[in-house]
Structures are given as structure tokens and as C-alpha cells.
Amino acid sequence: MSTDPSSESPLYRYRFGASEFDEARFELTVDGQPVDLEHKPLQVLAALLRHVGEVVTRDELLDSVWAGRPAVDNVLPNAVAKLRKALGPTQAERIVTLPRLGYRLNGPVERTASGRRLASRLQLDGAQAVPHRPDWVLERQLNPSRASEVWLARHARSREPRVFKFAGDGERLSMLKREATLHRVLTESLGEREDIARVLDWNFETPPFFLECEYGGDSLQAWAEAGHLAALDRDARLALCLGVAQAVSAAHGVGVLHKDIKPANVLVAPRAEGGWRVRLTDFGSARLLNPERLAELGITRLGLTMTRALDTDSSGTPLYLAPELIAGQPPTVRSDVYALGLLVYQLLVGDLKRPLAPGWEAAVDDTLLAQTIAAATDVDPARRLPSAGALIEQISTLEARREAVAQALAREQRLQAAEAALARSHARRPWVVAATAALVLGLAATLWQYRAAVAAREQAVAQAALAEEMNRFLNQDLLGGGRSRTATIAYDRNPSLRELLDAARSRLDGRFAAAPLTEAGIRTTLGRAYRTLGDHAVAEAQLRRVVDIHRDLLPADDERRLLGEYDLVTVLVRLSRFDEAQAMLDAADAAAGPRRSAVGEVGLRAQLARGSYHFQRLQVQPALDAYRAAETLQRVVQPDDIPLAAHIRLTVGDASLRLGEPARAEAIAREVLGGDPFTEGNVGLSTLATARRLLGNALRNQGRPAEGIPHLERAVAEQERARGPDDQSTIAALSSLGYLYSLVGDVQKRATLQREVYARSVRRWGEANQYTLVERINLGDAEHEVGQLQVAEAHLAAAVAGLVVTAGEGSSLVDAARYSHAEVLLSLGRHTQALALAERIEATRLAGASADARGDGKLAALRGRALLGLGRADEGRATLRRAVEQLRAEGADDEALAPLLALIAPPAG
């Protein structure tokens, strides 16, 4: 029994329960709402519906849906599970599993005809008009395949060529929709590019559905078969490789993975000025790494689903599938790089069907090119070239690399000659031994430095060497204890991470005098670790040394130098040294040029540094913009860095909270607390505690402080266990917990906790640090609540003065301190001073500082009460009325507004 309908079979619309499946459009609706589901589960549903009440065997489904060759195990059970989930719990019961046999869909099912499957498959033929486009005439079919029909057509009068991709029965419709959507993403983000084929129009209303595309030339396969590839020398072939890689890199830069890079999806056409132009085409299998970008660009989501962006996916042409995709892992930038590397190999050897079989290196007569291909197609994605940009760099700098290797070999030969001369002269002229030895050592040092420079071009090699040197340093010199002849550190118990870092730092000075770039790499690791632990002063010292080394040895635009400067910026802002941080950030951005926003490590670190700078200055919207950009880049550049992903995600949540989106912040917090991949083993207990703090604060801002208290209490306990009582994360969680107790009416407990918070802050940072001053604002508020007005006023006046120095006039923190100070002045009856402070506060900055998005209403209420206190009753009540309207618009209820409403009411009698 075949489950695949014949080419002439009718197509039906099936209704079963609350579900409907339209076979012509290949669309499923449940309860009247369309369901976004991958193509394979829908094919399984179609097969079951055509044989309702009958058993469809496992082999029959594999043959009809996967052509008998599934790419990974368990694809059929996974597809059925997704189908059941889409149908919902009631309808899912209709699909019955028969162990070791197959599946059956139980009725009743209604069906009505909705069309017929066109012959051939679309009954198209040369010389006929394009359906729904009468001015265009079909000429010939291009790249016929089981999945689609792609036709070349020409305008009846102008003879202009165009390409039409048809989907007659809906089986290809979702892919066409996806290609149209992603083309819009590419165009809106990148503009019109010569190296990406354009989609001009589409028809998704009436069969046969199609995309209307620009004609970009013959496929690379057809072009090569015509003899053009064989006529090109190696440089011309590498130019083609660069053209394809640049198109892929541009798509990656806006978060689009192609996922089906192969000769059939590369178009080649002659240039008017000579040579060949390549275009990347067919994004029908592509994936958008950040689906939220569709909303940002105002693009309707066609053929794309949120789940699709996350599911395991091994679609693509088998020869070009990276090994991890065949193993069932999700696609990444590096899986596209694998396909690019294979394509480079095939172009160089002149055979676009040749696999990368064992011994392939013999066909590549250039050692450096063979190394590049090997790096791009490494079976381990962690060792593979990290991006299309890295592949472009290796190909573009081929001649410089070749020259550098030749010079290094020449220097090594001179070194060997010097050593031989030393050996010959040792007996005859002992008086020259010292001088010759010095010369040899000098040559050796020069050779080492030069080799380091050459290795810097080979990024993967440099990273491996650095990792080996760091591993030797950490394991032999630090962790070896008494087992190493040179080690002087021994532990009588398991050391803490802080102890190991301190030991590493103490032994680092002078350890790598002959290898300063290796020292810089180790100090970078130490600096980042201290930053993670919240010890920003020590982190600053380590990263400052990194920057100094890089400035002595590297040009301003060297990637390592830029990364070091961006790292240092993130620490300087934590130390409230904003002017220095801004100057360094601006200089690094200028040196980075376009790389500061491109796909790559520089782009990622630039966005993180910029986001950190804005966030610490409470410039929330630009901080959120930077972190969202970093989030997209992280998914592309470092998809396996789960701790970094969690940090970015939680910062986006915190910024969303401050911009008045507490529900979004809550969703992000629950996502991080939801398990894999954000497990304690992957991200650490402290990160999960930070997520609990965000959850508690989000519940607070939705008027549910009592719900938030248990989350904050647990966050405090976990941070104390993970980081200690005086860590910044612990202090922040304890401060948030105190505020929640205030909101539920326990102001005494809040005051007790806040006094402890301030004491810890002074111990941790000193009195003049921005963090301490912020907690001094909170302490002033707490003392105000318990009636300690003079104590509160002293704290808040000191906080204002300190923040003017550290954060500067115009800072959100200064406005927050002035607001709290004005509130205390009102309670003390000093209305003139309170009103004067209120006039210096800007509402938007106040909202950003307080994270409750009520700046306008709060500030108006403060001014109104000050005016009433000064006897300006009419003006004060009018201001309070505006305050009440604003606060209601900002979510306040009448219970919270009762004190203001009482002030507005006219006096009795």
C-alpha cells in the first residue's frame, strides 16, 4: 500500500473534531486558528487521513515522508509527538500507536474535495504562459527535483528572464513562504545586495503557488558542466569562493542561517566588465535565529514558527550536512561554514560532486589552503572555523600567510646555521661562546615573536597554543601542588575558585616575560573570572595589564586588542569610572569600524560593552538595544556559551522591567529558571539566584509583592551560598527583598534589612562608590518609612552629593536620590526646598532609576503636595489631579491612590 497520492489524485479538506487539514494548502487549523507546524508532521497527518481507520505501517510512513532515508533516528516518533501536541490533548487521542507496527488515525473524519494534484506535477510546459502572470512565458525547467518545480520564463515582449518557483499542492508552500519572509529580513536589514538573489513577488493565494525571482544566472553546477570552471585558474576559483562566503557572512550578520549551501543554490553570471558574479539563492530551508526580529522590522511571519527556530533540524543536502546535524544537533553558523568549506574544496579540485573522503588533502596542492579547508570542515564544530568571516579572512590573507611562513622558515634556517657554527667553534674559540650564544638566543627570541605574529593570523592555531600554555600554567604550576618540582603552592583541602585565581595571579608576574601575548591571554581569563566574582578592582588590574601589553605589541585594529579594551570597559563602568570607560569605548569602536556591529567576536563584545556602559548609567533603552543586538550575535558567534546567553537574557529582562514591561521580565526569569539549557551545572547557582531576583521584582511591579518575597528570600540564600554575604549579587537581592517587605507593610523589617545592606556595601566598595550610594538612597527611604526623618534626610543629602560626583548631573540616579530627598523634606515641613528639588528632576530618568515606569505620576504627586504645603491650594490640587490620572494610566489602583485622592477632595465645610 502506498501512502503517497498519485500525480492525478484529488486533494481534500479534512475535518475531524475541532481540527481541519487542507491538503491543497497543506495547512492545519485547530479551533479555527492556524497552527504553525513543520512540514514532516503535516505529511504524516496527510498519510493517516488518507487511510483513516487503517494501520499505516512505520515503513510506509518512512517511505512516503522521508523517502525511506531518515537523516536521524526516531524521526517518525518525534513527528507524531509534534503532531499530537499541535492537535491538543483531545484530538491527539485519535492517533493510536501500534507498537512495532505503525499508527492509525481513528474517525470520524469528514472530507470534501479542494482541488486536484496537477500532473507533471504542475502540468506546466515550455511556451505556455506563467499561471497568473500572462505576460510571462515559460521557457524551460531548471533543476527539476522531487520537491519542487523551478522554471525559467521570459517576458513576452522584452524577453527579460525571470525565475518562478512553483508549489502546486502546498507541499512546498511553507518553504516558499519562508523564503519570502527571510528575503524581506535580508533586504530590510542589508539593503539590496548583488550577491543575494532577489525575490520580486509571490502568489500565495491560488494554486499553483509561486515565488517570482530575479534571474541570477545558471546554477554553479550547470555553469561548471558547461566548462567554465575548468577554464579558471586557482585565484579565479578562490574569488568565487569569497563571493559565496561574503553572501553567507552577510546573511549570518542579520541572524539568517542558510542551511542548504550547495552548488545548485549558487548562481553564476558573467559581469559586463569581465569575470564572474555569484549570487546565493534559495532560502527555503533557512532559519531565522532571532524570530523577534520580524516584529522589529514589521514583517509578517510566513512559514516561520518560534518552535522551528529552536527544533533539531537536519534538513539540507546530505553531502553538505555537517556531522553534528546528522547526529541530530541544531544548525548553527558553524554548520553553514562546514558546507562552505566543502564547496571551497570542490571548486579548487574542479569537481562539484566530490565528497571530502579520507585522503582528500592529496588533491589540494597548497598546504595553507588544505589547512583552511580542514579548519572549515572539522568534524568537531567547537574546533571548526567560527564564522564565514573567519573563512573569508583566511582566503583573503593567503598570500600574506604564505609569505609569513616562508620568512619564518628562513629565520629558522638561520637559527639552525647559528647553532651549527656555535658547535664548530666551541673547542677552537671558547672566548666567543658567550657572544655566539647570546646571538642564538636573540635569534630564537625573534623567531618566537615572529611565529606568534604568524599564529595570530591563524586564529584557531593561536587559540590552541594559548589554551595549551594556559593549561600547562594552571595544571603544573598551580594545581600540581607538591607533585611538581617547580610548584610552591600546596593545599590541604580543595581550594575555592577565588583561592586558585589568587594563586594564579601571584605567580603570573615574570612567568611569561618572553611570551607577553600568552601572558595577556591568561590575564584576560583571570580578569573575566574576577569580574564574574564581582571583584572589579582586581579584574581592572588584570585587564589593564592586558590592554597595556596589546598596545605595546599590536595595532589599534587588531582583534585581540579590541577585545581587551571592550573587556576593560565593562569593568570600568562597574567602578563608576564612566568618563574613562566612554573614552575607551569610543576609541575601540572607531578602531573596530564596521566590525563593531558585524557578526564576530568583536561585534559581540562591542555590543556587550556598550550595553553595560548604558545600563550602569541607567540609560535603559540604549542598553536594551545593545543587549538585544548582543543576544542575536551570541546565538551566531558563541551558541554554546550558555552562561553568556543567560547573562544577556537576564539583562534584557531587567531592562524590560525598567521600561515598564514586568510581564516580559517575568517570562524571561521563568525561562531561565525553567531548566535545560539553563541548569545549575551550565550556568551556576548565582545566575539562577539572579533569575529569582528578577522574578521577584517582576512580580512586585505587577502588584504581587507577597508572591515575590519567597523568590527573593531564596535568591538571597543562594547568592550567599554561591558568592558570600558581601558579593554585589547578594547585596542586590537583599535590598530587593527589603523593598518587598515594605510593600506588604513590614517597614521595620525593611529598615533592618536595608541597614545590613548598607553596612555590607560600605565593606564591599567604600562609601563613595556608586553601588554604595544607591543603597544609601534605599536606606534613606527605609529610615523615612519608620519615622527616622533626620537620619533619613542626612543619608539622602549625602547620596545626592556623592552621585553628582560619581554619576554626574543628568544621571537617573541623581534624580532618584533627589526625589527621595524631596519626600523626606516634605515630611519635615520644608516645602520650599522640596519643590526646588522636584523642579530639578526629569520624569523619564526617574522612571528608569526606579524600575516601576511611574516617573510622570510620581513626580507630579510630589510637586502637588509641595504646592499644597506652601499654601498654593488650587495649583496643588490641579497638579495632584494630573498626578492621579497619570498614575492610573501607569497601572496604579484606587487603593494606592487613596492618600492623593484625600488631598484633592475640598476641605469639609
Side-chain angles (χ1 to χ4, degrees):
M1 178 185 66
S2 172
T3 60
D4 185 22
S6 70
S7 61
E8 292 294 337
S9 64
L11 301 172
Y12 295 101
R13 180 181 295 110
Y14 298 90
R15 293 187 180 89
F16 49 104
S19 303
E20 180 177 300
F21 176 65
D22 188 334
E23 198 173 26
R25 300 183 64 85
F26 232 64
E27 291 180 350
L28 173 66
T29 59
V30 177
D31 294 324
Q33 299 298 316
V35 176
D36 285 322
L37 192 60
E38 296 169 58
H39 195 67
K40 297 299 185 186
L42 290 178
Q43 286 182 284
V44 172
L45 176 61
L48 295 174
L49 284 168
R50 282 190 168 269
H51 301 280
V52 63
E54 303 174 14
V55 175
V56 183
T57 69
R58 179 181 182 276
D59 289 342
E60 288 170 339
L61 288 170
L62 291 175
D63 284 341
S64 65
V65 178
W66 286 274
R69 298 185 300 276
V72 296
D73 295 335
N74 298 320
V75 290
L76 179 55
N78 290 341
V80 172
K82 293 175 182 178
L83 179 57
R84 284 170 168 155
K85 182 178 179 180
L87 292 174
T90 303
Q91 297 301 316
E93 296 177 356
R94 288 174 173 263
I95 301 177
V96 179
T97 302
L98 292 99
R100 296 183 297 278
L101 185 57
Y103 299 89
R104 181 181 67 240
L105 183 94
N106 289 332
V109 174
E110 300 176 14
R111 75 176 190 181
T112 56
S114 61
R116 297 190 67 80
R117 190 181 303 269
L118 299 176
S120 82
R121 299 163 58 193
L122 297 171
Q123 296 181 335
L124 301 175
D125 198 2
Q128 79 174 74
V130 175
H132 315 298
R133 294 289 190 273
D135 292 335
W136 294 86
V137 179
L138 295 173
E139 182 173 288
R140 60 187 171 90
Q141 193 170 3
L142 305 172
N143 300 326
S145 69
R146 183 176 180 273
S148 65
E149 289 193 24
V150 182
W151 284 77
L152 175 66
R154 292 188 183 274
H155 194 274
R157 292 184 296 277
S158 69
R159 305 302 295 162
E160 175 191 351
R162 282 197 185 163
V163 172
F164 288 83
K165 299 182 180 181
F166 291 97
D169 56 9
E171 292 184 8
R172 278 273 297 177
L173 180 57
S174 63
M175 297 181 73
L176 295 187
K177 288 181 175 181
R178 190 178 314 118
E179 184 166 4
T181 300
L182 292 178
H183 181 265
R184 288 196 61 194
V185 171
L186 293 169
T187 302
E188 293 288 338
S189 303
L190 301 171
E192 297 288 355
R193 289 180 61 96
E194 185 184 62
D195 53 5
I196 296 177
R198 291 188 298 157
V199 175
L200 304 175
D201 200 359
W202 52 78
N203 163 47
F204 297 152
E205 299 300 321
T206 316
F209 312 111
F210 61 78
L211 290 180
E212 183 177 348
C213 306
E214 171 189 43
Y215 176 69
D218 290 332
S219 73
L220 182 60
Q221 183 69 54
W223 174 84
E225 290 172 354
H228 297 300
L229 178 59
L232 297 184
D233 60 19
R234 184 167 63 193
D235 288 345
R237 297 183 189 195
L238 288 175
L240 293 178
C241 298
L242 283 174
V244 179
Q246 286 161 354
V248 173
S249 181
H252 287 175
V254 294
V256 176
L257 298 181
H258 189 280
K259 289 178 54 240
D260 197 14
I261 298 167
K262 59 183 180 180
N265 290 334
V266 176
L267 306 178
V268 189
R271 294 184 181 275
E273 65 274 17
W276 300 96
R277 178 197 64 210
V278 294
R279 283 193 175 107
L280 188 63
T281 188
D282 196 350
F283 285 80
S285 297
R287 166 169 297 180
L288 185 61
L289 290 171
N290 185 9
E292 294 175 355
R293 183 148 178 77
L294 295 176
E296 296 171 8
L297 295 173
I299 296 174
T300 302
R301 178 180 293 163
L302 299 175
L304 288 171
T305 69
M306 189 70 71
T307 55
R308 184 176 181 83
L310 300 175
D311 285 343
T312 297
D313 190 346
S314 58
S315 63
T317 305
L319 179 60
Y320 298 88
L321 286 179
E324 67 270 16
L325 299 185
I326 297 173
Q329 298 178 25
T332 67
V333 164
R334 297 182 191 223
S335 50
D336 271 2
V337 169
Y338 180 91
L340 278 174
L342 176 54
L343 191 59
V344 170
Y345 168 70
Q346 293 174 330
L347 284 168
L348 287 175
V349 300
D351 183 352
L352 297 180
K353 296 181 180 179
R354 184 181 298 191
L356 207 65
W360 62 266
E361 299 89 345
V364 181
D365 60 0
D366 186 298
T367 302
L368 290 180
L369 278 175
Q371 291 174 357
T372 294
I373 294 168
T377 58
D378 197 300
V379 295
D380 184 352
R383 296 196 304 261
R384 196 176 302 151
L385 289 179
S387 66
L391 178 61
I392 292 168
E393 181 180 4
Q394 291 221 358
I395 295 175
S396 301
T397 60
L398 186 62
E399 290 306 316
R401 292 163 56 207
R402 190 175 288 118
E403 181 182 351
V405 170
Q407 291 181 5
L409 289 174
R411 290 171 185 270
E412 188 166 8
Q413 289 171 357
R414 290 197 295 272
L415 173 61
Q416 292 171 352
E419 290 172 339
L422 174 64
R424 289 193 301 272
S425 63
H426 185 273
R428 297 195 307 273
R429 291 195 292 269
W431 56 270
V432 300
V433 169
T436 307
L439 174 61
V440 172
L441 291 174
L443 285 171
T446 301
L447 177 62
W448 189 95
Q449 293 289 354
Y450 195 85
R451 283 175 175 164
V454 173
R457 286 187 175 277
E458 307 291 346
Q459 186 179 29
V461 176
Q463 289 174 342
L466 178 59
E468 182 180 356
E469 188 68 31
M470 291 171 64
N471 184 67
R472 183 160 52 248
F473 171 66
L474 292 174
N475 284 284
Q476 293 181 4
D477 290 355
L478 294 180
L479 303 184
R483 294 187 299 273
S484 170
R485 289 183 302 164
T486 59
T488 58
I489 299 173
Y491 304 103
D492 57 5
R493 56 178 174 79
N494 289 330
S496 68
L497 174 60
R498 177 58 187 254
E499 287 173 328
L500 290 177
L501 292 174
D502 289 345
R505 183 163 54 93
S506 69
R507 293 177 58 80
L508 192 53
D509 289 341
R511 173 67 170 78
F512 296 99
L517 293 178
T518 300
E519 177 185 344
I522 294 175
R523 288 192 187 276
T524 296
T525 299
L526 293 176
R528 290 177 177 176
Y530 279 114
R531 179 181 62 190
T532 299
L533 292 176
D535 195 335
H536 298 113
V538 178
E540 190 262 345
Q542 298 304 306
L543 296 174
R544 176 77 64 187
R545 176 61 181 149
V546 171
V547 169
D548 290 344
I549 291 172
H550 286 167
R551 287 179 175 176
D552 287 342
L553 298 175
L554 303 174
D557 62 351
D558 185 278
E559 178 170 320
R560 289 162 295 174
R561 177 167 167 176
L562 293 171
L563 295 178
E565 290 170 352
Y566 285 133
D567 274 335
L568 183 55
V569 166
T570 64
V571 172
L572 291 174
V573 296
R574 294 283 188 165
L575 295 170
S576 304
R577 289 154 60 179
F578 297 112
D579 291 342
E580 184 182 359
Q582 182 170 8
M584 181 168 290
L585 183 56
D586 291 342
D589 280 352
R595 286 180 293 168
R596 69 178 180 271
S597 56
V599 174
E601 187 73 15
V602 169
L604 174 60
R605 296 295 168 180
Q607 295 295 344
L608 288 171
R610 182 69 63 181
S612 182
Y613 172 82
H614 287 304
F615 199 87
Q616 295 304 316
R617 303 216 70 170
L618 290 181
Q619 297 162 348
V620 184
Q621 187 58 60
L624 180 58
D625 294 341
Y627 272 100
R628 280 177 171 163
E631 188 169 36
T632 298
L633 289 171
Q634 179 269 325
R635 291 173 177 173
V636 176
V637 177
Q638 293 189 6
D640 299 325
D641 193 336
I642 306 303
L644 179 60
H647 163 70
I648 295 173
R649 201 84 188 101
L650 291 173
T651 308
V652 168
D654 201 348
S656 300
L657 183 66
R658 293 174 183 275
L659 290 174
E661 299 183 62
R664 178 174 176 78
E666 179 186 355
I668 289 173
R670 293 190 186 280
E671 173 191 344
V672 174
L673 292 169
D676 190 51
F678 301 116
T679 62
E680 183 178 341
N682 285 340
V683 301
L685 182 61
S686 178
T687 296
L688 297 182
T690 300
R692 295 190 201 285
R693 177 183 171 230
L694 177 62
L695 177 56
N697 289 340
L699 293 170
R700 173 200 72 198
N701 282 19
Q702 295 177 81
R704 297 146 61 190
E707 290 182 52
I709 286 176
H711 296 291
L712 264 299
E713 289 178 333
R714 183 171 175 182
V716 171
E718 289 178 343
Q719 291 289 18
E720 287 186 338
R721 188 161 73 250
R723 295 286 190 86
D726 291 346
D727 184 80
Q728 176 187 338
S729 301
T730 309
I731 293 170
L734 192 62
S735 180
S736 294
L737 176 61
Y739 186 39
L740 263 64
Y741 276 118
S742 170
L743 294 178
V744 298
D746 196 342
V747 295
Q748 290 293 343
K749 187 161 189 175
R750 192 259 173 115
T752 300
L753 289 177
Q754 193 58 46
R755 290 166 189 149
E756 175 62 20
V757 166
Y758 183 66
R760 294 186 187 187
S761 300
V762 172
R763 283 199 305 269
R764 183 72 176 80
W765 298 295
E767 291 186 349
N769 183 272
Q770 177 174 293
Y771 290 104
T772 306
L773 292 168
V774 169
E775 295 305 343
R776 196 164 194 178
I777 298 173
N778 294 332
L779 178 56
D781 290 340
E783 298 290 5
H784 185 189
E785 287 179 329
V786 296
Q788 297 294 322
L789 301 185
Q790 298 295 341
V791 174
E793 197 275 334
H795 281 305
L796 292 166
V800 171
L803 287 168
V804 168
V805 174
T806 60
E809 284 286 359
S811 164
S812 295
L813 292 175
V814 173
D815 279 1
R818 283 183 174 142
Y819 176 85
S820 292
H821 192 196
E823 286 281 3
V824 174
L825 292 173
L826 281 182
S827 296
L828 289 168
R830 293 155 61 177
H831 303 102
T832 301
Q833 290 176 270
L835 185 59
L837 280 181
E839 297 300 332
R840 301 181 66 181
I841 299 171
E842 201 276 323
T844 303
R845 294 198 300 263
L846 179 63
S850 61
D852 64 7
R854 296 182 181 180
D856 288 313
K858 287 173 60 176
L859 189 54
L862 174 64
R863 289 170 177 161
R865 286 181 290 131
L867 290 168
L868 286 180
L870 291 171
R872 297 156 63 178
D874 291 342
E875 187 179 357
R877 290 193 182 97
T879 302
L880 288 173
R881 290 189 189 96
R882 289 195 299 272
V884 168
E885 292 174 2
Q886 290 166 337
L887 289 168
R888 278 178 174 155
E890 293 163 355
D893 56 26
D894 283 349
E895 182 179 356
L897 295 173
L900 295 182
L901 293 172
L903 292 174
I904 294 172

